[in-house]
Amino acid sequence: MSFESLQKRYEAAGQGHVFKFWPKLSESERKSLLEQLDALDIDRVNRIYQKAISAEAKAKDPNAPAESIEPLPKGASESVTDEAKQKEWRKIGLEAVSRGEVGVLLMAGGQGTRLGSSAPKGCYDIGLPSHKSLFQYQAERIARLQTVAENDFGKTAGSVIIPWYVMTSGPTRRDTEEFFSKHSYFGLDPKNVIFFEQGTLPCLTMEGKVLLDSPSRVAVAPDGNGGLYAATRAPLSSTDKSHTVLNDLSRRKVLYVHAYCVDNCLVRVADPVFLGYSISKQADCAAKVVPKVQPTESVGVVACHDGKFSVVEYSEISKEQAERRDPETGELMFRAGNIVNHFYTTAFLNEVEKFEGEMASHIARKKIPHVDLDSGESIKPTKPNGMKLELFVFDVFPYTQRFAVLEVERKEEFSPLKNAPGTGSDDPETSRRDLLAQHKRFLERAGAKVKDGVEIEISPLVSYAGEGLNNVEGKTFSKSGAVGSPEELDALV
């Protein structure tokens, strides 16, 4: 697109200031700026800003009608504590896996900055005996589940495929792809690991004007984990504009998708129980949740907001609501802790574009470095001077036709890695502790004893969720170590 036509478009949108430094730019800088501005839908940016501002104003309006926040209705949620149902759900989910109907979306755009690492978070080693990264653990769970599905449904070895769609961000994409390549995709076929990139939105002033971080570049920020949906529609490469995650899912005839965040070391990737539950409920979208530990726990909960399923932040619930308990069970009424672990039908993912414009982005007011339009100098503000706009992945919940919630045990499925080493909660040490404690339970449930202080790490290639350990019954383990096959366990007796 020519400079003149782009300038007209941006001036019509009230954003013509992005060309302020045009006369002083070199040819290469002009080319770079034009490419960035051409790729940006500035009218959409303006609409997103206006929607976010009006939604925020409505939420703060003291005269606005009070919004109702209610717990999940009876029947909207079930629990894995019912072993008979869990067995049936697993069979349904595993059968879908065996037919090649299941894909996985991984949200892995974050860096390990809080952990003291500039590498993608999925590259992080939480200190296990094997020193496997989070990426490797999740890859091996996929590999194991493919094998389990083949064995359970009489499929030939290597015939069951769970495609893995890994959403990176601009800063992490190259490092993520190099990490996978360096480790030979952790044993998975590279054809079935598809990298794609989270989108960005321009950073704006408080008045909605686009900020420049240099005279020739717009300041941008990731559009939130809710950018996942738009990213599935974006071309996977510049050379083939027609190839997207959505049409790749279609080409592979994938009907169901499991989506999760990279930082949970206990995540059951493509969990057949969750898949089977969601399929049996005919849900187009579902959420896996864990019970809140206590009323004051700072976690969003899946609930009903104005009659629609939503994630309600802890700050939006009153103390009285947070402490409400079911008179029959004594359980918290608002208990469905959100862990960003979702099921979708691919049909639903294809529908998101139709209502995405109705979803209001969330405003984060930040200190955003930028170029002063008058002086041309770089400014590093000391207080918030602008905003970043982002969608959350759960913002689609109110738009689902058939929504379901599955409650699982926290100790078995949720141990997030959020904080720096030594913090004492949600850090590498707690992740390591929780994973090794789970492996001890796997052995004990299989009939073994593990002596106090002994730490045994069981490769996901040996057991996905405790299965395949029949040979340990009656044995007592007295040595610590990591095992990559059932036979290696004998060395730790």
Side-chain angles (χ1 to χ4, degrees):
M1 185 173 276
S2 69
F3 162 71
E4 290 79 11
S5 56
L6 266 179
Q7 187 179 37
K8 279 184 183 176
R9 192 212 296 176
Y10 274 78
E11 284 180 350
Q15 302 280 8
H17 63 279
V18 295
F19 293 102
K20 175 72 185 275
F21 303 102
W22 183 262
K24 300 177 183 177
L25 301 182
S26 67
E27 279 306 309
S28 63
E29 287 173 328
R30 287 181 174 185
K31 183 173 183 289
S32 174
L33 179 61
L34 285 181
E35 285 176 355
Q36 190 186 19
L37 295 177
D38 187 30
L40 194 61
D41 184 343
I42 193 61
D43 293 318
R44 174 174 174 264
V45 171
N46 284 347
R47 287 195 302 271
I48 290 171
Y49 168 76
Q50 291 296 343
K51 182 83 175 175
I53 288 292
S54 61
E56 186 181 65
K58 181 183 174 185
K60 291 180 177 177
D61 183 358
N63 299 315
E67 296 179 336
S68 72
I69 296 175
E70 295 294 334
L72 290 171
K74 296 280 186 185
S77 174
E78 291 197 54
S79 170
V80 295
T81 52
D82 187 323
E83 290 189 16
K85 284 186 176 179
Q86 184 181 162
K87 188 176 179 181
E88 178 61 23
W89 294 332
R90 181 183 181 277
K91 181 176 180 292
I92 294 169
L94 205 55
E95 192 166 9
V97 170
S98 76
R99 292 194 297 257
E101 295 173 352
V102 174
V104 172
L105 285 173
L106 166 60
M107 290 168 271
Q111 293 170 290
T113 312
R114 285 195 201 170
L115 306 169
S117 168
S118 60
K121 207 183 232 188
C123 302
Y124 198 81
D125 166 14
I126 59 174
L128 294 167
S130 67
H131 293 289
K132 290 177 181 176
S133 63
L134 293 169
F135 279 141
Q136 182 164 355
Y137 245 77
Q138 291 160 29
E140 291 183 354
R141 285 186 182 129
I142 289 173
R144 172 64 183 169
L145 192 59
Q146 291 174 162
T147 301
V148 170
E150 287 164 359
N151 293 341
D152 281 21
F153 290 92
K155 303 284 184 175
T156 56
S159 66
V160 171
I161 293 167
I162 302 171
W164 197 15
Y165 300 87
V166 180
M167 186 173 78
T168 65
S169 60
T172 65
R173 178 155 190 174
R174 178 181 292 180
D175 288 346
T176 300
E177 292 194 30
E178 287 178 354
F179 191 75
F180 272 73
S181 179
K182 176 184 173 184
H183 292 91
S184 303
Y185 288 76
F186 313 106
L188 298 176
D189 187 333
K191 294 198 302 290
N192 302 320
V193 181
I194 299 95
F195 298 99
F196 67 113
E197 202 166 306
Q198 181 177 0
T200 59
L201 283 171
C203 300
L204 306 176
T205 66
M206 300 301 187
E207 296 72 40
K209 300 296 183 183
V210 170
L211 285 165
L212 296 173
D213 69 4
S214 79
S216 62
R217 183 159 182 83
V218 169
V220 297
D223 55 3
N225 57 18
L228 168 75
Y229 305 108
T232 62
R233 304 191 299 269
L236 290 170
S237 72
S238 55
T239 54
D240 183 1
K241 299 284 188 182
S242 67
H243 192 197
T244 67
V245 169
L246 287 181
N247 68 29
D248 196 85
L249 288 165
S250 175
R251 181 175 61 80
R252 294 173 184 265
K253 297 182 170 58
V254 170
L255 302 180
Y256 313 110
V257 172
H258 177 224
Y260 69 96
C261 288
V262 74
D263 62 1
N264 176 13
C265 69
L266 295 181
V267 65
R268 294 188 177 178
V269 187
D271 176 19
V273 174
F274 184 37
L275 289 165
Y277 166 74
S278 303
I279 293 167
S280 70
K281 290 287 185 183
Q282 298 184 309
D284 48 21
C285 178
K288 186 182 279 192
V289 300
V290 296
K292 281 183 69 170
V293 175
Q294 57 193 21
T296 55
E297 185 182 2
S298 300
V299 61
V301 293
V302 182
C304 286
H305 191 174
D306 281 348
K308 295 182 178 180
F309 292 106
S310 301
V311 170
V312 180
E313 296 300 337
Y314 60 92
S315 56
E316 299 176 83
I317 296 176
S318 68
K319 182 174 181 291
E320 291 74 24
Q321 285 175 313
E323 292 176 349
R324 273 174 63 188
R325 292 186 180 271
D326 187 313
E328 295 177 16
T329 65
E331 296 172 338
L332 292 171
M333 296 293 283
F334 290 93
R335 60 185 267 114
N338 172 47
I339 60 173
V340 193
N341 193 314
H342 302 158
F343 163 93
Y344 308 97
T345 61
T346 49
F348 177 76
L349 290 176
N350 277 287
E351 291 290 311
V352 173
E353 186 175 14
K354 293 179 181 176
F355 57 77
E356 206 169 36
E358 298 174 36
M359 300 192 299
S361 290
H362 307 269
I363 299 172
R365 290 176 172 80
K366 301 281 188 179
K367 293 179 281 189
I368 303 171
H370 62 285
V371 171
D372 183 83
L373 291 176
D374 294 324
S375 67
E377 294 179 3
S378 294
I379 306 290
K380 282 196 172 180
T382 55
K383 59 183 181 180
N385 64 302
M387 59 177 69
K388 298 177 180 181
L389 299 170
E390 56 186 12
L391 284 173
F392 298 150
V393 70
F394 50 75
D395 286 336
V396 299
F397 288 2
Y399 299 90
T400 57
Q401 298 300 310
R402 296 176 303 279
F403 187 75
V405 176
L406 182 66
E407 185 178 281
V408 299
E409 283 190 273
R410 186 183 293 241
K411 70 178 181 180
E412 298 293 355
E413 301 205 35
F414 187 56
S415 181
L417 179 61
K418 304 286 185 189
N419 301 319
T423 305
S425 68
D426 298 346
D427 65 11
E429 292 84 4
T430 59
S431 292
R432 179 187 189 278
R433 177 201 71 200
D434 292 345
L435 189 58
L436 293 177
Q438 182 183 65
H439 292 183
K440 181 180 180 181
R441 290 193 297 275
F442 285 173
L443 292 169
E444 290 174 342
R445 286 174 193 153
K449 291 183 179 178
V450 181
K451 288 189 174 178
D452 290 346
V454 171
E455 294 182 330
I456 298 175
E457 180 192 349
I458 302 168
S459 167
L461 295 171
V462 174
S463 183
Y464 176 89
E467 81 294 333
L469 299 172
N470 302 337
N471 63 327
V472 304
E473 187 172 359
K475 295 178 180 176
T476 299
F477 292 94
S478 57
K479 299 172 189 171
S480 298
V483 296
S485 71
E487 294 72 30
E488 289 178 20
L489 282 162
D490 288 337
L492 303 180
V493 172

